[in-house]
Amino acid sequence: MEKQPVLELKNVSVGYDSPAGMVQAVNDVSLTIYENSIVGLIGESGSGKSTLGNAIIHLLKNNAVLTNGTIKVMGKDVYGMGKEELRKFRWSQMSMVFQSAMNALNPVLTIEAQFLDVFLSHHKNMSKKEARAKAIELMEIVSIDPTHLKSYPHELSGGMRQRVVIAIAIALDPKLVIMDEPTTALDVVVQRSILDKIKEIQKVKKFSILFISHDFSLVSELAQQVAIMYAGRFVEITDSESLSQLDKHHPYTQGLINAIPQLTADEVTIEGIPGNPPDLVELPSGCAYHPRCPFANERCETELPVISKVEDRSIECHLYDKEREEVFKS
């Protein structure tokens, strides 16, 4: 059977109202995520990743607004819903794992109370006994002793708190879970255990994931497809298997791959991307990446590139115009 779309982004733009005017943090992005799949979203800090995640779940801050495009989850327009419909839709159809588990959890409520709040606010006919049984089941799914339901967030380790947040996110069996850098504040050993647990749960529950991160190696290992974001735009959307090769990628994607530490017998080598991400208030003309791009020429400085299909990838770069292919290959 053909897979159905769980998330559909079409020409989505998000702006922040500022004294300098409307600043476009997300600029005309389109993406489709299908059922039972994991898609990674990667880019440097300030590229618009978290803004897009918050826009999808309709949790933009007061000075942020969807300025263009449509966001559909399970075929329903997220921004066409009323407050009550949206409240019911969140967590039952789409949920989010936020960056900091300590901030996401209420510090003055036990873990059990926070589980019960999710269940009882969405299922009016569910008894507390049934809700507790579901909470115990979820704690076991994320490999935490259910006795910790009586604990407060500060009594748990960072890895345990993050697994609790993941358990709460999947409590109502949503079809889409957005994970916004869920392992950033954790050490590498705990990161690995969280990553393995996410993959294990996803295989059982069969929900789709949009996994947001700045860790290129982490995302390429977890996701089947990866969207690379720069200055609010998707400069490339590709399958993760192709990321093991530098051939025929956007120059920014190449830079991110090269920035992954390469371990040899004698030394660790890292080739960083020169320069800094652009100021969104004053974006460079043409391709926003051209000040940092080793392949840039006058056309890149003045003309915004269009999306090109290269094999199974979508790439926004002038390098893939036929007359310039030989430049890229060299």
Side-chain angles (χ1 to χ4, degrees), residues 238-274:
T238 182
D239 66 279
S240 59
E241 291 182 0
S242 71
L243 296 173
S244 61
Q245 302 173 348
L246 280 176
D247 187 40
K248 293 186 179 179
H249 284 295
H250 190 282
Y252 181 57
T253 308
Q254 289 187 44
L256 292 174
I257 294 172
N258 285 330
I260 299 172
Q262 302 297 318
L263 304 179
T264 66
D266 301 318
E267 60 182 3
V268 179
T269 58
I270 301 176
E271 184 180 332
I273 301 173

Short mmCIF file of all heavy atoms in Angstrom, two decimals, residues 238-274:
data_model
loop_
_atom_site.label_atom_id
_atom_site.label_comp_id
_atom_site.label_asym_id
_atom_site.label_seq_id
_atom_site.Cartn_x
_atom_site.Cartn_y
_atom_site.Cartn_z
N THR A 238 17.60 15.23 0.96
CA THR A 238 18.25 14.05 0.40
C THR A 238 18.03 12.84 1.30
O THR A 238 17.64 12.99 2.46
CB THR A 238 19.77 14.32 0.24
OG1 THR A 238 20.39 13.18 -0.35
CG2 THR A 238 20.42 14.59 1.60
N ASP A 239 18.27 11.65 0.75
CA ASP A 239 18.21 10.46 1.60
C ASP A 239 19.50 10.38 2.40
O ASP A 239 20.56 10.83 1.97
CB ASP A 239 18.01 9.21 0.74
CG ASP A 239 19.20 8.93 -0.14
OD1 ASP A 239 19.31 9.56 -1.22
OD2 ASP A 239 20.05 8.10 0.23
N SER A 240 19.42 9.79 3.58
CA SER A 240 20.56 9.78 4.49
C SER A 240 21.72 8.93 3.98
O SER A 240 22.88 9.22 4.28
CB SER A 240 20.12 9.29 5.88
OG SER A 240 19.58 7.99 5.80
N GLU A 241 21.43 7.90 3.20
CA GLU A 241 22.50 7.02 2.72
C GLU A 241 23.49 7.78 1.84
O GLU A 241 24.68 7.47 1.83
CB GLU A 241 21.90 5.84 1.96
CG GLU A 241 21.14 4.85 2.84
CD GLU A 241 20.61 3.68 2.05
OE1 GLU A 241 20.83 3.63 0.82
OE2 GLU A 241 19.97 2.81 2.67
N SER A 242 23.00 8.77 1.09
CA SER A 242 23.88 9.51 0.19
C SER A 242 24.87 10.40 0.94
O SER A 242 25.85 10.88 0.36
CB SER A 242 23.04 10.36 -0.77
OG SER A 242 22.46 11.45 -0.07
N LEU A 243 24.63 10.63 2.22
CA LEU A 243 25.47 11.55 2.98
C LEU A 243 26.84 10.96 3.32
O LEU A 243 27.72 11.67 3.81
CB LEU A 243 24.75 11.97 4.27
CG LEU A 243 23.46 12.76 4.04
CD1 LEU A 243 22.74 12.98 5.35
CD2 LEU A 243 23.73 14.08 3.36
N SER A 244 27.02 9.69 3.04
CA SER A 244 28.34 9.08 3.24
C SER A 244 29.30 9.46 2.13
O SER A 244 30.50 9.19 2.21
CB SER A 244 28.21 7.55 3.32
OG SER A 244 27.67 7.04 2.11
N GLN A 245 28.78 10.10 1.08
CA GLN A 245 29.61 10.53 -0.05
C GLN A 245 29.46 12.03 -0.25
O GLN A 245 28.38 12.60 -0.04
CB GLN A 245 29.18 9.80 -1.32
CG GLN A 245 29.25 8.28 -1.22
CD GLN A 245 28.65 7.60 -2.44
OE1 GLN A 245 28.00 8.23 -3.25
NE2 GLN A 245 28.91 6.31 -2.55
N LEU A 246 30.54 12.67 -0.67
CA LEU A 246 30.50 14.11 -0.92
C LEU A 246 29.97 14.44 -2.31
O LEU A 246 29.67 15.59 -2.61
CB LEU A 246 31.91 14.71 -0.78
CG LEU A 246 32.38 14.99 0.65
CD1 LEU A 246 33.81 15.49 0.63
CD2 LEU A 246 31.49 16.01 1.33
N ASP A 247 29.85 13.45 -3.17
CA ASP A 247 29.50 13.69 -4.56
C ASP A 247 28.09 14.25 -4.71
O ASP A 247 27.12 13.73 -4.15
CB ASP A 247 29.61 12.37 -5.34
CG ASP A 247 29.44 12.56 -6.83
OD1 ASP A 247 29.96 13.56 -7.35
OD2 ASP A 247 28.77 11.72 -7.46
N LYS A 248 27.98 15.33 -5.46
CA LYS A 248 26.70 15.93 -5.86
C LYS A 248 25.81 16.32 -4.67
O LYS A 248 24.66 15.91 -4.58
CB LYS A 248 25.95 14.99 -6.81
CG LYS A 248 26.65 14.83 -8.16
CD LYS A 248 25.82 14.04 -9.13
CE LYS A 248 26.54 13.91 -10.48
NZ LYS A 248 25.77 13.13 -11.45
N HIS A 249 26.36 17.10 -3.77
CA HIS A 249 25.59 17.69 -2.69
C HIS A 249 25.72 19.21 -2.76
O HIS A 249 26.63 19.74 -3.42
CB HIS A 249 26.08 17.21 -1.32
CG HIS A 249 25.67 15.83 -0.97
ND1 HIS A 249 24.36 15.46 -0.78
CD2 HIS A 249 26.40 14.69 -0.79
CE1 HIS A 249 24.30 14.18 -0.48
NE2 HIS A 249 25.51 13.68 -0.48
N HIS A 250 24.83 19.90 -2.08
CA HIS A 250 24.95 21.35 -1.96
C HIS A 250 26.27 21.67 -1.24
O HIS A 250 26.68 20.93 -0.34
CB HIS A 250 23.76 21.89 -1.14
CG HIS A 250 23.64 23.37 -1.16
ND1 HIS A 250 24.43 24.19 -0.38
CD2 HIS A 250 22.80 24.20 -1.86
CE1 HIS A 250 24.09 25.45 -0.59
NE2 HIS A 250 23.12 25.49 -1.49
N PRO A 251 26.95 22.76 -1.62
CA PRO A 251 28.21 23.11 -0.95
C PRO A 251 28.08 23.22 0.57
O PRO A 251 29.01 22.89 1.31
CB PRO A 251 28.58 24.46 -1.57
CG PRO A 251 27.95 24.43 -2.91
CD PRO A 251 26.68 23.66 -2.76
N TYR A 252 26.91 23.67 1.06
CA TYR A 252 26.71 23.76 2.51
C TYR A 252 26.65 22.37 3.11
O TYR A 252 27.23 22.11 4.18
CB TYR A 252 25.43 24.53 2.80
CG TYR A 252 25.13 24.69 4.28
CD1 TYR A 252 26.05 25.29 5.14
CD2 TYR A 252 23.92 24.24 4.82
CE1 TYR A 252 25.78 25.44 6.49
CE2 TYR A 252 23.64 24.39 6.17
CZ TYR A 252 24.58 24.99 7.00
OH TYR A 252 24.31 25.14 8.34
N THR A 253 25.98 21.43 2.44
CA THR A 253 25.94 20.05 2.90
C THR A 253 27.34 19.47 2.93
O THR A 253 27.73 18.78 3.89
CB THR A 253 25.04 19.19 1.98
OG1 THR A 253 23.76 19.81 1.85
CG2 THR A 253 24.87 17.79 2.53
N GLN A 254 28.12 19.75 1.89
CA GLN A 254 29.51 19.29 1.86
C GLN A 254 30.28 19.83 3.06
O GLN A 254 31.05 19.10 3.70
CB GLN A 254 30.21 19.78 0.59
CG GLN A 254 29.75 19.10 -0.68
CD GLN A 254 30.61 19.55 -1.85
OE1 GLN A 254 31.82 19.63 -1.75
NE2 GLN A 254 29.97 19.85 -2.96
N GLY A 255 30.06 21.11 3.36
CA GLY A 255 30.75 21.72 4.49
C GLY A 255 30.39 21.06 5.80
O GLY A 255 31.26 20.84 6.66
N LEU A 256 29.11 20.72 5.98
CA LEU A 256 28.68 20.05 7.21
C LEU A 256 29.29 18.66 7.32
O LEU A 256 29.68 18.22 8.41
CB LEU A 256 27.15 19.97 7.25
CG LEU A 256 26.40 21.29 7.41
CD1 LEU A 256 24.90 21.05 7.29
CD2 LEU A 256 26.71 21.95 8.74
N ILE A 257 29.36 17.95 6.19
CA ILE A 257 29.97 16.61 6.20
C ILE A 257 31.45 16.72 6.55
O ILE A 257 31.97 15.93 7.37
CB ILE A 257 29.78 15.92 4.83
CG1 ILE A 257 28.28 15.65 4.57
CG2 ILE A 257 30.56 14.61 4.78
CD1 ILE A 257 27.98 15.15 3.17
N ASN A 258 32.14 17.68 5.96
CA ASN A 258 33.57 17.85 6.23
C ASN A 258 33.84 18.27 7.67
O ASN A 258 34.94 18.04 8.19
CB ASN A 258 34.17 18.89 5.28
CG ASN A 258 34.36 18.34 3.87
OD1 ASN A 258 34.59 17.15 3.70
ND2 ASN A 258 34.26 19.21 2.88
N ALA A 259 32.84 18.90 8.31
CA ALA A 259 33.02 19.38 9.68
C ALA A 259 32.89 18.27 10.72
O ALA A 259 33.20 18.47 11.89
CB ALA A 259 32.01 20.49 9.99
N ILE A 260 32.45 17.08 10.28
CA ILE A 260 32.38 15.94 11.20
C ILE A 260 33.81 15.48 11.49
O ILE A 260 34.59 15.25 10.58
CB ILE A 260 31.57 14.78 10.59
CG1 ILE A 260 30.13 15.21 10.32
CG2 ILE A 260 31.59 13.56 11.52
CD1 ILE A 260 29.33 14.19 9.54
N PRO A 261 34.21 15.37 12.76
CA PRO A 261 35.59 14.95 13.09
C PRO A 261 35.93 13.61 12.45
O PRO A 261 35.16 12.65 12.55
CB PRO A 261 35.58 14.85 14.62
CG PRO A 261 34.45 15.73 15.05
CD PRO A 261 33.42 15.63 13.97
N GLN A 262 37.06 13.56 11.77
CA GLN A 262 37.55 12.33 11.15
C GLN A 262 38.68 11.77 12.01
O GLN A 262 39.70 12.42 12.22
CB GLN A 262 38.06 12.61 9.73
CG GLN A 262 37.02 13.23 8.81
CD GLN A 262 35.83 12.32 8.57
OE1 GLN A 262 35.99 11.10 8.39
NE2 GLN A 262 34.64 12.90 8.59
N LEU A 263 38.47 10.57 12.50
CA LEU A 263 39.45 9.95 13.40
C LEU A 263 40.43 9.08 12.61
O LEU A 263 40.02 8.23 11.83
CB LEU A 263 38.73 9.09 14.45
CG LEU A 263 37.67 9.80 15.30
CD1 LEU A 263 37.04 8.80 16.26
CD2 LEU A 263 38.29 10.95 16.07
N THR A 264 41.70 9.34 12.80
CA THR A 264 42.75 8.49 12.22
C THR A 264 43.63 7.99 13.36
O THR A 264 43.42 8.33 14.52
CB THR A 264 43.60 9.29 11.22
OG1 THR A 264 44.31 10.32 11.92
CG2 THR A 264 42.73 9.92 10.13
N ALA A 265 44.62 7.18 13.01
CA ALA A 265 45.49 6.61 14.04
C ALA A 265 46.28 7.68 14.78
O ALA A 265 46.60 7.52 15.95
CB ALA A 265 46.44 5.60 13.40
N ASP A 266 46.58 8.78 14.09
CA ASP A 266 47.49 9.76 14.68
C ASP A 266 46.80 11.04 15.14
O ASP A 266 47.28 11.72 16.04
CB ASP A 266 48.59 10.13 13.68
CG ASP A 266 49.41 8.92 13.27
OD1 ASP A 266 49.72 8.11 14.16
OD2 ASP A 266 49.70 8.78 12.08
N GLU A 267 45.69 11.41 14.51
CA GLU A 267 45.11 12.72 14.82
C GLU A 267 43.62 12.77 14.48
O GLU A 267 43.08 11.87 13.84
CB GLU A 267 45.84 13.81 14.02
CG GLU A 267 45.75 13.62 12.52
CD GLU A 267 46.52 14.67 11.74
OE1 GLU A 267 47.17 15.53 12.37
OE2 GLU A 267 46.44 14.64 10.51
N VAL A 268 42.98 13.82 14.97
CA VAL A 268 41.59 14.11 14.64
C VAL A 268 41.57 15.33 13.73
O VAL A 268 42.14 16.37 14.07
CB VAL A 268 40.75 14.40 15.91
CG1 VAL A 268 39.31 14.73 15.52
CG2 VAL A 268 40.79 13.22 16.86
N THR A 269 40.96 15.20 12.56
CA THR A 269 40.91 16.33 11.62
C THR A 269 39.49 16.86 11.49
O THR A 269 38.54 16.09 11.40
CB THR A 269 41.42 15.91 10.24
OG1 THR A 269 40.62 14.83 9.74
CG2 THR A 269 42.87 15.46 10.30
N ILE A 270 39.35 18.17 11.51
CA ILE A 270 38.06 18.83 11.33
C ILE A 270 38.25 19.98 10.34
O ILE A 270 39.17 20.79 10.48
CB ILE A 270 37.53 19.41 12.66
CG1 ILE A 270 37.36 18.30 13.70
CG2 ILE A 270 36.20 20.12 12.43
CD1 ILE A 270 36.93 18.82 15.07
N GLU A 271 37.42 20.01 9.34
CA GLU A 271 37.46 21.09 8.36
C GLU A 271 36.17 21.91 8.49
O GLU A 271 35.12 21.52 8.00
CB GLU A 271 37.59 20.52 6.94
CG GLU A 271 37.75 21.58 5.86
CD GLU A 271 37.87 20.96 4.48
OE1 GLU A 271 38.35 19.82 4.38
OE2 GLU A 271 37.47 21.63 3.51
N GLY A 272 36.25 23.01 9.20
CA GLY A 272 35.06 23.82 9.45
C GLY A 272 34.65 24.65 8.25
O GLY A 272 35.41 24.81 7.28
N ILE A 273 33.43 25.19 8.30
CA ILE A 273 32.94 26.10 7.26
C ILE A 273 33.41 27.51 7.62
O ILE A 273 33.15 27.98 8.73
CB ILE A 273 31.41 26.05 7.17
CG1 ILE A 273 30.93 24.63 6.87
CG2 ILE A 273 30.90 27.02 6.11
CD1 ILE A 273 29.42 24.46 6.92
N PRO A 274 34.09 28.20 6.72
CA PRO A 274 34.56 29.56 7.05
C PRO A 274 33.41 30.53 7.23
O PRO A 274 32.31 30.33 6.69
CB PRO A 274 35.41 29.93 5.83
CG PRO A 274 34.87 29.09 4.71
CD PRO A 274 34.44 27.80 5.35
#
